[in-house]
Amino acid sequence: MAQDAPPIGIELNRLEAQGANCRVWMVARNPAADAVDPLRLDLILFGKDGIIVRRLALDIGPLPARKTQARIFDLAGQNCDGLGSILLNDVLACGPTAETKAACLPRLALTSRADGVSFDQ
């Protein structure tokens, strides 16, 4: 992965209550000519009060070249209304080598469409 490679967009698109769980919808965009495989993120979830409620490793990849994909995961026992923000704490894996992992974090462009929940680095 070259340093001048285009940004990988990761959008927190929607939160949806599923009983006592929260379903999280994310949209990942890879405009580059190369696939990103694997792509694993270390996320920290904060409540509305700013207190950490959970840490999780999330596999977003593989992301095919020039492709946009939706990823869905459920947070068991987590009420969607209680979430205030999500922090990208680190990139655990991004491509097949350590060099690609190091180059990945600056390429990630995070956004949120979820009402009242930010998604930041």
Side-chain angles (χ1 to χ4, degrees), residues 6 11 13 24-25 35 40 44 47 49-50 52 60 64-66 70 72 74 83 87 100 105 107 112 114 116:
E11 174 185 274
N13 184 273
V24 180
W25 297 72
R40 188 172 306 114
I44 306 290
D49 58 3
I52 294 172
I60 294 286
R66 297 185 178 100
I72 303 163
D74 291 333
L83 287 178
L87 171 70
T100 56
L105 188 59
R107 286 186 60 201
S112 176

PDB file of all heavy atoms in Angstrom, residues 6 11 13 24-25 35 40 44 47 49-50 52 60 64-66 70 72 74 83 87 100 105 107 112 114 116:
ATOM      1  N   PRO A   6      -5.312   6.405  -2.028  1.00  0.00           N
ATOM      2  CA  PRO A   6      -6.506   7.164  -1.632  1.00  0.00           C
ATOM      3  C   PRO A   6      -7.042   6.720  -0.277  1.00  0.00           C
ATOM      4  O   PRO A   6      -6.794   5.600   0.170  1.00  0.00           O
ATOM      5  CB  PRO A   6      -7.503   6.871  -2.747  1.00  0.00           C
ATOM      6  CG  PRO A   6      -7.013   5.649  -3.428  1.00  0.00           C
ATOM      7  CD  PRO A   6      -5.538   5.577  -3.205  1.00  0.00           C
ATOM      8  N   GLU A  11     -17.637   4.658   7.495  1.00  0.00           N
ATOM      9  CA  GLU A  11     -18.743   5.471   7.987  1.00  0.00           C
ATOM     10  C   GLU A  11     -19.589   4.673   8.980  1.00  0.00           C
ATOM     11  O   GLU A  11     -19.997   3.558   8.685  1.00  0.00           O
ATOM     12  CB  GLU A  11     -19.613   5.882   6.800  1.00  0.00           C
ATOM     13  CG  GLU A  11     -20.877   6.610   7.171  1.00  0.00           C
ATOM     14  CD  GLU A  11     -21.732   6.856   5.951  1.00  0.00           C
ATOM     15  OE1 GLU A  11     -21.507   7.874   5.279  1.00  0.00           O
ATOM     16  OE2 GLU A  11     -22.605   6.003   5.666  1.00  0.00           O
ATOM     17  N   ASN A  13     -22.873   4.337   9.897  1.00  0.00           N
ATOM     18  CA  ASN A  13     -24.043   4.749   9.133  1.00  0.00           C
ATOM     19  C   ASN A  13     -25.318   4.770   9.948  1.00  0.00           C
ATOM     20  O   ASN A  13     -26.115   5.689   9.839  1.00  0.00           O
ATOM     21  CB  ASN A  13     -24.209   3.833   7.916  1.00  0.00           C
ATOM     22  CG  ASN A  13     -25.342   4.252   7.028  1.00  0.00           C
ATOM     23  OD1 ASN A  13     -26.482   3.859   7.253  1.00  0.00           O
ATOM     24  ND2 ASN A  13     -25.031   5.057   6.034  1.00  0.00           N
ATOM     25  N   VAL A  24     -25.155  -2.359  14.637  1.00  0.00           N
ATOM     26  CA  VAL A  24     -24.348  -1.277  14.091  1.00  0.00           C
ATOM     27  C   VAL A  24     -24.130  -1.537  12.602  1.00  0.00           C
ATOM     28  O   VAL A  24     -23.685  -2.620  12.215  1.00  0.00           O
ATOM     29  CB  VAL A  24     -22.985  -1.185  14.828  1.00  0.00           C
ATOM     30  CG1 VAL A  24     -22.140  -0.070  14.254  1.00  0.00           C
ATOM     31  CG2 VAL A  24     -23.196  -0.996  16.327  1.00  0.00           C
ATOM     32  N   TRP A  25     -24.471  -0.538  11.799  1.00  0.00           N
ATOM     33  CA  TRP A  25     -24.280  -0.594  10.356  1.00  0.00           C
ATOM     34  C   TRP A  25     -23.118   0.325   9.992  1.00  0.00           C
ATOM     35  O   TRP A  25     -23.134   1.509  10.314  1.00  0.00           O
ATOM     36  CB  TRP A  25     -25.526  -0.109   9.629  1.00  0.00           C
ATOM     37  CG  TRP A  25     -26.747  -0.939   9.849  1.00  0.00           C
ATOM     38  CD1 TRP A  25     -27.503  -1.016  10.986  1.00  0.00           C
ATOM     39  CD2 TRP A  25     -27.370  -1.805   8.912  1.00  0.00           C
ATOM     40  NE1 TRP A  25     -28.558  -1.868  10.806  1.00  0.00           N
ATOM     41  CE2 TRP A  25     -28.508  -2.365   9.542  1.00  0.00           C
ATOM     42  CE3 TRP A  25     -27.096  -2.154   7.586  1.00  0.00           C
ATOM     43  CZ2 TRP A  25     -29.347  -3.265   8.892  1.00  0.00           C
ATOM     44  CZ3 TRP A  25     -27.941  -3.045   6.946  1.00  0.00           C
ATOM     45  CH2 TRP A  25     -29.045  -3.595   7.603  1.00  0.00           C
ATOM     46  N   ALA A  35      -6.912  -4.359  -3.180  1.00  0.00           N
ATOM     47  CA  ALA A  35      -7.777  -4.785  -2.078  1.00  0.00           C
ATOM     48  C   ALA A  35      -7.055  -4.565  -0.748  1.00  0.00           C
ATOM     49  O   ALA A  35      -5.824  -4.525  -0.701  1.00  0.00           O
ATOM     50  CB  ALA A  35      -8.141  -6.256  -2.237  1.00  0.00           C
ATOM     51  N   ARG A  40      -8.664  -4.960  10.271  1.00  0.00           N
ATOM     52  CA  ARG A  40      -9.195  -5.208  11.618  1.00  0.00           C
ATOM     53  C   ARG A  40      -8.926  -3.984  12.479  1.00  0.00           C
ATOM     54  O   ARG A  40      -7.794  -3.506  12.559  1.00  0.00           O
ATOM     55  CB  ARG A  40      -8.528  -6.442  12.216  1.00  0.00           C
ATOM     56  CG  ARG A  40      -9.137  -6.894  13.525  1.00  0.00           C
ATOM     57  CD  ARG A  40      -8.574  -8.250  13.978  1.00  0.00           C
ATOM     58  NE  ARG A  40      -8.721  -9.246  12.937  1.00  0.00           N
ATOM     59  CZ  ARG A  40      -7.688  -9.830  12.292  1.00  0.00           C
ATOM     60  NH1 ARG A  40      -6.448  -9.530  12.582  1.00  0.00           N
ATOM     61  NH2 ARG A  40      -7.913 -10.735  11.364  1.00  0.00           N
ATOM     62  N   ILE A  44     -13.075   1.573  20.685  1.00  0.00           N
ATOM     63  CA  ILE A  44     -13.491   1.844  22.058  1.00  0.00           C
ATOM     64  C   ILE A  44     -14.841   2.549  21.978  1.00  0.00           C
ATOM     65  O   ILE A  44     -14.975   3.558  21.290  1.00  0.00           O
ATOM     66  CB  ILE A  44     -12.477   2.740  22.803  1.00  0.00           C
ATOM     67  CG1 ILE A  44     -11.061   2.159  22.753  1.00  0.00           C
ATOM     68  CG2 ILE A  44     -12.945   2.991  24.233  1.00  0.00           C
ATOM     69  CD1 ILE A  44     -10.845   0.915  23.562  1.00  0.00           C
ATOM     70  N   GLY A  47     -20.072   5.721  26.440  1.00  0.00           N
ATOM     71  CA  GLY A  47     -21.459   6.070  26.708  1.00  0.00           C
ATOM     72  C   GLY A  47     -21.671   7.559  26.523  1.00  0.00           C
ATOM     73  O   GLY A  47     -20.725   8.323  26.308  1.00  0.00           O
ATOM     74  N   ASP A  49     -22.175   9.596  28.704  1.00  0.00           N
ATOM     75  CA  ASP A  49     -21.495  10.284  29.806  1.00  0.00           C
ATOM     76  C   ASP A  49     -19.974  10.344  29.619  1.00  0.00           C
ATOM     77  O   ASP A  49     -19.262  10.858  30.466  1.00  0.00           O
ATOM     78  CB  ASP A  49     -21.831   9.607  31.126  1.00  0.00           C
ATOM     79  CG  ASP A  49     -21.450   8.129  31.156  1.00  0.00           C
ATOM     80  OD1 ASP A  49     -20.865   7.615  30.164  1.00  0.00           O
ATOM     81  OD2 ASP A  49     -21.752   7.471  32.171  1.00  0.00           O
ATOM     82  N   GLY A  50     -19.460   9.800  28.487  1.00  0.00           N
ATOM     83  CA  GLY A  50     -18.023   9.826  28.227  1.00  0.00           C
ATOM     84  C   GLY A  50     -17.246   8.686  28.862  1.00  0.00           C
ATOM     85  O   GLY A  50     -16.031   8.613  28.717  1.00  0.00           O
ATOM     86  N   ILE A  52     -16.053   4.809  29.171  1.00  0.00           N
ATOM     87  CA  ILE A  52     -15.872   3.665  28.281  1.00  0.00           C
ATOM     88  C   ILE A  52     -16.827   2.548  28.699  1.00  0.00           C
ATOM     89  O   ILE A  52     -16.876   2.166  29.871  1.00  0.00           O
ATOM     90  CB  ILE A  52     -14.415   3.163  28.317  1.00  0.00           C
ATOM     91  CG1 ILE A  52     -13.479   4.227  27.728  1.00  0.00           C
ATOM     92  CG2 ILE A  52     -14.270   1.838  27.562  1.00  0.00           C
ATOM     93  CD1 ILE A  52     -12.009   3.929  27.895  1.00  0.00           C
ATOM     94  N   ILE A  60     -13.379  -5.431   9.505  1.00  0.00           N
ATOM     95  CA  ILE A  60     -14.095  -4.690   8.469  1.00  0.00           C
ATOM     96  C   ILE A  60     -13.814  -5.312   7.100  1.00  0.00           C
ATOM     97  O   ILE A  60     -14.643  -5.295   6.221  1.00  0.00           O
ATOM     98  CB  ILE A  60     -13.662  -3.201   8.467  1.00  0.00           C
ATOM     99  CG1 ILE A  60     -14.100  -2.527   9.753  1.00  0.00           C
ATOM    100  CG2 ILE A  60     -14.204  -2.456   7.272  1.00  0.00           C
ATOM    101  CD1 ILE A  60     -15.562  -2.242   9.843  1.00  0.00           C
ATOM    102  N   PRO A  64     -12.554  -5.300  -1.150  1.00  0.00           N
ATOM    103  CA  PRO A  64     -12.086  -5.417  -2.533  1.00  0.00           C
ATOM    104  C   PRO A  64     -11.715  -4.048  -3.108  1.00  0.00           C
ATOM    105  O   PRO A  64     -12.185  -3.011  -2.631  1.00  0.00           O
ATOM    106  CB  PRO A  64     -13.298  -5.996  -3.275  1.00  0.00           C
ATOM    107  CG  PRO A  64     -14.147  -6.616  -2.214  1.00  0.00           C
ATOM    108  CD  PRO A  64     -13.913  -5.792  -0.976  1.00  0.00           C
ATOM    109  N   ALA A  65     -10.893  -4.060  -4.133  1.00  0.00           N
ATOM    110  CA  ALA A  65     -10.497  -2.831  -4.817  1.00  0.00           C
ATOM    111  C   ALA A  65     -11.709  -2.155  -5.442  1.00  0.00           C
ATOM    112  O   ALA A  65     -12.622  -2.823  -5.934  1.00  0.00           O
ATOM    113  CB  ALA A  65      -9.469  -3.151  -5.902  1.00  0.00           C
ATOM    114  N   ARG A  66     -11.730  -0.820  -5.329  1.00  0.00           N
ATOM    115  CA  ARG A  66     -12.776   0.008  -5.953  1.00  0.00           C
ATOM    116  C   ARG A  66     -14.183  -0.481  -5.615  1.00  0.00           C
ATOM    117  O   ARG A  66     -15.043  -0.601  -6.476  1.00  0.00           O
ATOM    118  CB  ARG A  66     -12.573   0.061  -7.461  1.00  0.00           C
ATOM    119  CG  ARG A  66     -11.277   0.706  -7.864  1.00  0.00           C
ATOM    120  CD  ARG A  66     -11.167   0.863  -9.374  1.00  0.00           C
ATOM    121  NE  ARG A  66      -9.940   1.526  -9.716  1.00  0.00           N
ATOM    122  CZ  ARG A  66      -8.841   0.882 -10.142  1.00  0.00           C
ATOM    123  NH1 ARG A  66      -8.836  -0.419 -10.279  1.00  0.00           N
ATOM    124  NH2 ARG A  66      -7.765   1.571 -10.438  1.00  0.00           N
ATOM    125  N   ALA A  70     -21.231  -2.708   2.895  1.00  0.00           N
ATOM    126  CA  ALA A  70     -21.826  -2.516   4.216  1.00  0.00           C
ATOM    127  C   ALA A  70     -21.387  -3.657   5.116  1.00  0.00           C
ATOM    128  O   ALA A  70     -21.298  -4.804   4.680  1.00  0.00           O
ATOM    129  CB  ALA A  70     -23.341  -2.479   4.114  1.00  0.00           C
ATOM    130  N   ILE A  72     -22.238  -5.209   9.076  1.00  0.00           N
ATOM    131  CA  ILE A  72     -23.225  -5.161  10.150  1.00  0.00           C
ATOM    132  C   ILE A  72     -22.712  -6.023  11.300  1.00  0.00           C
ATOM    133  O   ILE A  72     -22.231  -7.137  11.078  1.00  0.00           O
ATOM    134  CB  ILE A  72     -24.583  -5.704   9.664  1.00  0.00           C
ATOM    135  CG1 ILE A  72     -25.049  -4.919   8.451  1.00  0.00           C
ATOM    136  CG2 ILE A  72     -25.618  -5.649  10.780  1.00  0.00           C
ATOM    137  CD1 ILE A  72     -26.143  -5.624   7.663  1.00  0.00           C
ATOM    138  N   ASP A  74     -23.589  -6.838  15.738  1.00  0.00           N
ATOM    139  CA  ASP A  74     -24.456  -6.622  16.896  1.00  0.00           C
ATOM    140  C   ASP A  74     -23.627  -6.494  18.162  1.00  0.00           C
ATOM    141  O   ASP A  74     -22.678  -7.255  18.371  1.00  0.00           O
ATOM    142  CB  ASP A  74     -25.447  -7.773  17.055  1.00  0.00           C
ATOM    143  CG  ASP A  74     -26.502  -7.805  15.957  1.00  0.00           C
ATOM    144  OD1 ASP A  74     -26.796  -6.733  15.396  1.00  0.00           O
ATOM    145  OD2 ASP A  74     -27.017  -8.879  15.654  1.00  0.00           O
ATOM    146  N   LEU A  83     -25.072   4.830  23.622  1.00  0.00           N
ATOM    147  CA  LEU A  83     -23.793   5.115  22.970  1.00  0.00           C
ATOM    148  C   LEU A  83     -23.645   6.601  22.666  1.00  0.00           C
ATOM    149  O   LEU A  83     -24.557   7.227  22.134  1.00  0.00           O
ATOM    150  CB  LEU A  83     -23.660   4.323  21.661  1.00  0.00           C
ATOM    151  CG  LEU A  83     -23.403   2.833  21.803  1.00  0.00           C
ATOM    152  CD1 LEU A  83     -23.351   2.178  20.427  1.00  0.00           C
ATOM    153  CD2 LEU A  83     -22.124   2.570  22.564  1.00  0.00           C
ATOM    154  N   LEU A  87     -14.439   5.431  19.258  1.00  0.00           N
ATOM    155  CA  LEU A  87     -13.065   5.845  18.997  1.00  0.00           C
ATOM    156  C   LEU A  87     -12.332   4.730  18.273  1.00  0.00           C
ATOM    157  O   LEU A  87     -12.343   3.578  18.723  1.00  0.00           O
ATOM    158  CB  LEU A  87     -12.345   6.151  20.315  1.00  0.00           C
ATOM    159  CG  LEU A  87     -10.838   6.391  20.219  1.00  0.00           C
ATOM    160  CD1 LEU A  87     -10.536   7.708  19.525  1.00  0.00           C
ATOM    161  CD2 LEU A  87     -10.206   6.348  21.605  1.00  0.00           C
ATOM    162  N   THR A 100       2.193  -2.262   5.536  1.00  0.00           N
ATOM    163  CA  THR A 100       0.864  -1.808   5.129  1.00  0.00           C
ATOM    164  C   THR A 100       0.043  -1.418   6.344  1.00  0.00           C
ATOM    165  O   THR A 100      -0.734  -0.470   6.290  1.00  0.00           O
ATOM    166  CB  THR A 100       0.117  -2.868   4.292  1.00  0.00           C
ATOM    167  OG1 THR A 100       0.036  -4.084   5.028  1.00  0.00           O
ATOM    168  CG2 THR A 100       0.804  -3.102   2.968  1.00  0.00           C
ATOM    169  N   LEU A 105      -3.394   3.593   9.058  1.00  0.00           N
ATOM    170  CA  LEU A 105      -4.082   4.515   9.957  1.00  0.00           C
ATOM    171  C   LEU A 105      -4.259   5.912   9.355  1.00  0.00           C
ATOM    172  O   LEU A 105      -5.364   6.453   9.384  1.00  0.00           O
ATOM    173  CB  LEU A 105      -3.388   4.576  11.315  1.00  0.00           C
ATOM    174  CG  LEU A 105      -4.117   5.356  12.405  1.00  0.00           C
ATOM    175  CD1 LEU A 105      -5.501   4.781  12.683  1.00  0.00           C
ATOM    176  CD2 LEU A 105      -3.300   5.371  13.682  1.00  0.00           C
ATOM    177  N   ARG A 107      -4.591   6.672   6.361  1.00  0.00           N
ATOM    178  CA  ARG A 107      -5.494   6.578   5.197  1.00  0.00           C
ATOM    179  C   ARG A 107      -6.960   6.505   5.594  1.00  0.00           C
ATOM    180  O   ARG A 107      -7.831   6.715   4.753  1.00  0.00           O
ATOM    181  CB  ARG A 107      -5.182   5.321   4.377  1.00  0.00           C
ATOM    182  CG  ARG A 107      -3.936   5.404   3.568  1.00  0.00           C
ATOM    183  CD  ARG A 107      -3.789   4.192   2.679  1.00  0.00           C
ATOM    184  NE  ARG A 107      -4.914   4.069   1.764  1.00  0.00           N
ATOM    185  CZ  ARG A 107      -5.251   2.923   1.173  1.00  0.00           C
ATOM    186  NH1 ARG A 107      -4.586   1.827   1.411  1.00  0.00           N
ATOM    187  NH2 ARG A 107      -6.278   2.891   0.341  1.00  0.00           N
ATOM    188  N   SER A 112     -19.586   9.818  10.617  1.00  0.00           N
ATOM    189  CA  SER A 112     -20.752   9.241  11.277  1.00  0.00           C
ATOM    190  C   SER A 112     -22.024   9.909  10.780  1.00  0.00           C
ATOM    191  O   SER A 112     -22.096  11.138  10.699  1.00  0.00           O
ATOM    192  CB  SER A 112     -20.656   9.406  12.797  1.00  0.00           C
ATOM    193  OG  SER A 112     -21.845   8.922  13.413  1.00  0.00           O
ATOM    194  N   ALA A 114     -24.820   8.468  12.257  1.00  0.00           N
ATOM    195  CA  ALA A 114     -25.660   8.063  13.397  1.00  0.00           C
ATOM    196  C   ALA A 114     -25.918   9.280  14.271  1.00  0.00           C
ATOM    197  O   ALA A 114     -24.982   9.932  14.744  1.00  0.00           O
ATOM    198  CB  ALA A 114     -24.972   6.958  14.195  1.00  0.00           C
ATOM    199  N   GLY A 116     -26.209  11.767  16.963  1.00  0.00           N
ATOM    200  CA  GLY A 116     -25.677  11.932  18.307  1.00  0.00           C
ATOM    201  C   GLY A 116     -24.513  11.035  18.671  1.00  0.00           C
ATOM    202  O   GLY A 116     -24.097  11.020  19.822  1.00  0.00           O
TER     203      GLY A 116
END
